[in-house]
């Protein structure tokens, strides 16, 4: 395959199959297995002919110039599966946030305003979100406790229809799913059996910048942090010049929006402050150098 990281997992997942009946049960809804590497293709054919010859016709070799992931839209699906925000066709969106304890799905109307009334807009957004949520749970292989925060609906009939639609949407899921009634606050609690690691754990690694927090300090926050440190240390440091090496985005804040604050600090500590943009520095990192001019 061109996407080499997927070669070995593909072959390994096939070789652990113990018997043809087991393979047949797990592939009843698979139309084709498309491979873009001839060596891997031949290896799969050899395996299938030995253990499940009835599946041979479903394996095909892809030989077009366009990468197979692009040709079948897999790259786009992978990117969507790693995004926290997924836009719906109606203009609304859902946000998926997964922690070790549970996963939370938040539904929002976004740009969708509807044609009639607010209740109609909310109901249509929630109903479209149901189909996307069911798909994303399978695609991302999210398991455990899942809380879905649908937009509040006043009509009980709409809430009942929502639960029915959700139960219908998860019927395609091979993992066992249990869904409770929607609460008056629009919350639905459900569980999905964990079968393996979710997609994010397979394709991602912890963020080296935020250390798993999911957030970093804002440019404004970093700017004020630098100015406070200069103010605190000014009386203890020799020299009449302070050079601050910072990320260009933070430098822009210091030189434009907070330029008057920087000048006031210069007058207060009687030292000249020079801001130097450095694109190699992370937005939270900076260097303060005290010099004699």
């Amino acid at each position: 395959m061109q996407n080499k990281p997927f070669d070995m997992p593909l072959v390994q997942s096939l070789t652990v199959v113990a018997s043809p009946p087991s393979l047949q049960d797990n592939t009843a809804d698979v139309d084709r297995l498309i491979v873009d590497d001839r060596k891997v293709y031949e290896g799969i054919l050899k395996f299938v002919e030995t253990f499940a010859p009835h599946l041979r016709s479903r394996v095909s070799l892809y030989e077009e110039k366009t990468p197979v992931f692009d040709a079948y839209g897999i790259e786009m699906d992978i990117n969507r599966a790693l995004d926290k925000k997924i836009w719906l066709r109606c203009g609304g969106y859902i946000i998926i946030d997964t922690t070790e304890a549970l996963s939370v799905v938040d539904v929002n109307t976004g740009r969708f305003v509807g044609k009639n009334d607010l209740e109609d807009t909310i109901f249509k957004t929630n109903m479209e979100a149901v189909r996307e949520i069911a798909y994303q749970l399978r695609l991302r292989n999210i398991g455990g406790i899942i809380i879905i925060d649908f937009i509040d609906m006043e009509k009980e009939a709409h809430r009942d229809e929502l639960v029915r639609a959700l139960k219908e949407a998860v019927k395609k899921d091979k993992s066992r799913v249990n869904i409770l009634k929607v609460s008056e606050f629009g919350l639905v609690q459900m569980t999905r059996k964990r079968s393996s690691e979710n997609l994010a754990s397979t394709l991602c690694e912890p963020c080296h910048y935020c250390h798993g927090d999911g957030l970093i300090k804002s440019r404004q926050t970093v700017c004020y942090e630098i100015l406070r440190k200069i103010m605190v240390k000014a009386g203890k440091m020799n020299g009449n010049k302070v050079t601050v090496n910072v990320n260009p985005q933070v430098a822009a804040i210091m030189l434009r929006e907070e330029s008057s604050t920087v000048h006031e600090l210069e007058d207060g500590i009687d030292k000249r402050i020079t801001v130097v943009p450095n694109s190699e520095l992370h937005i939270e990192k900076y260097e303060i150098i005290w010099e004699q001019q």
Side-chain angles (χ1 to χ4, degrees):
M1 287 186 176
Q2 261 179 346
N3 298 72
K4 293 302 178 186
F6 292 88
D7 287 358
M8 290 307 296
L10 174 62
V11 176
Q12 289 172 350
S13 68
L14 287 172
T15 54
V16 298
V17 176
S19 63
S22 174
L23 183 63
Q24 188 171 12
D25 291 343
N26 291 327
T27 56
D29 58 349
V30 176
D31 295 324
R32 281 193 298 164
L33 174 62
I34 302 169
V35 188
D36 65 350
D37 184 289
R38 179 169 290 278
K39 186 176 180 180
V40 175
Y41 168 73
E42 291 172 352
I44 293 173
L45 277 186
K46 184 178 180 181
F47 174 88
V48 169
E49 287 171 351
T50 303
F51 294 100
H54 62 284
L55 297 179
R56 191 187 189 287
S57 61
R58 301 192 196 182
V59 184
S60 58
L61 177 64
Y62 182 83
E63 298 180 289
E64 303 297 327
K65 291 184 178 180
T66 304
V68 66
F69 273 28
D70 291 331
Y72 289 91
I74 297 175
E75 200 72 53
M76 182 176 66
D77 265 352
I78 290 175
N79 291 332
R80 288 191 76 217
L82 297 179
D83 285 343
K84 290 184 67 172
K85 178 184 285 189
I86 299 101
W87 287 96
L88 305 173
R89 291 183 179 180
C90 67
Y93 62 89
I94 63 175
I95 294 177
I96 301 177
D97 202 357
T98 301
T99 67
E100 290 186 12
L102 54 82
S103 298
V104 178
V105 183
D106 186 29
V107 183
N108 297 273
T109 53
R111 298 188 294 257
F112 184 45
V113 295
K115 295 181 179 179
N116 299 316
D117 54 23
L118 181 59
E119 179 72 14
D120 180 64
T121 298
I122 291 172
F123 180 63
K124 287 182 177 178
T125 303
N126 281 337
M127 291 298 285
E128 185 171 338
V130 160
R131 295 187 292 273
E132 186 63 34
I133 290 169
Y135 172 69
Q136 289 294 330
L137 293 181
R138 297 196 308 273
L139 180 63
R140 300 173 186 232
N141 197 25
I142 296 175
I145 300 172
I146 302 163
I147 306 295
I148 307 176
D149 185 8
F150 287 105
I151 309 167
D152 294 351
M153 295 179 294
E154 295 181 359
K155 296 180 181 179
E156 187 175 351
H158 282 174
R159 293 197 292 269
D160 292 340
E161 180 63 25
L162 186 73
V163 174
R164 282 196 294 270
L166 183 58
K167 289 181 178 179
E168 185 64 29
V170 299
K171 283 184 178 179
K172 298 178 181 178
D173 204 323
K174 293 181 180 179
S175 295
R176 188 171 67 250
V177 177
N178 183 38
I179 302 172
L180 301 181
K181 276 190 70 175
V182 58
S183 73
E184 57 188 66
F185 299 109
L187 297 176
V188 171
Q189 300 177 60
M190 62 181 291
T191 58
R192 183 175 183 272
K193 185 179 179 182
R194 295 183 189 273
S195 56
S196 59
E197 286 189 345
N198 60 43
L199 188 64
S201 299
T202 304
L203 300 183
C204 302
E205 61 183 24
C207 177
H208 302 296
Y209 295 125
C210 70
H211 304 289
D213 293 335
L215 296 169
I216 60 174
K217 294 177 183 176
S218 69
R219 296 167 296 165
Q220 204 89 25
T221 299
V222 176
C223 171
Y224 292 150
E225 183 178 302
I226 293 170
L227 297 179
R228 283 196 300 271
K229 284 194 176 182
I230 293 175
M231 187 174 9
V232 170
K233 293 187 177 182
K236 306 173 185 178
M237 306 300 291
N238 296 324
N240 58 2
K241 179 184 177 183
V242 185
T243 299
V244 182
N245 295 318
V246 293
N247 180 277
Q249 295 185 51
V250 179
I253 294 284
M254 298 183 73
L255 294 172
R256 296 173 190 169
E257 297 175 31
E258 298 297 334
S259 59
S260 59
T261 306
V262 173
H263 292 321
E264 288 176 11
L265 181 59
E266 285 180 318
D267 295 338
I269 64 175
D270 195 25
K271 299 180 189 293
R272 182 185 173 193
I273 300 175
T274 302
V275 179
V276 180
N278 186 338
S279 59
E280 294 185 358
L281 286 174
H282 180 265
I283 200 166
E284 290 185 344
K285 303 298 181 182
Y286 52 84
E287 184 181 18
I288 302 175
I289 304 171
W290 302 83
E291 304 173 274
Q292 181 68 47
Q293 193 171 25

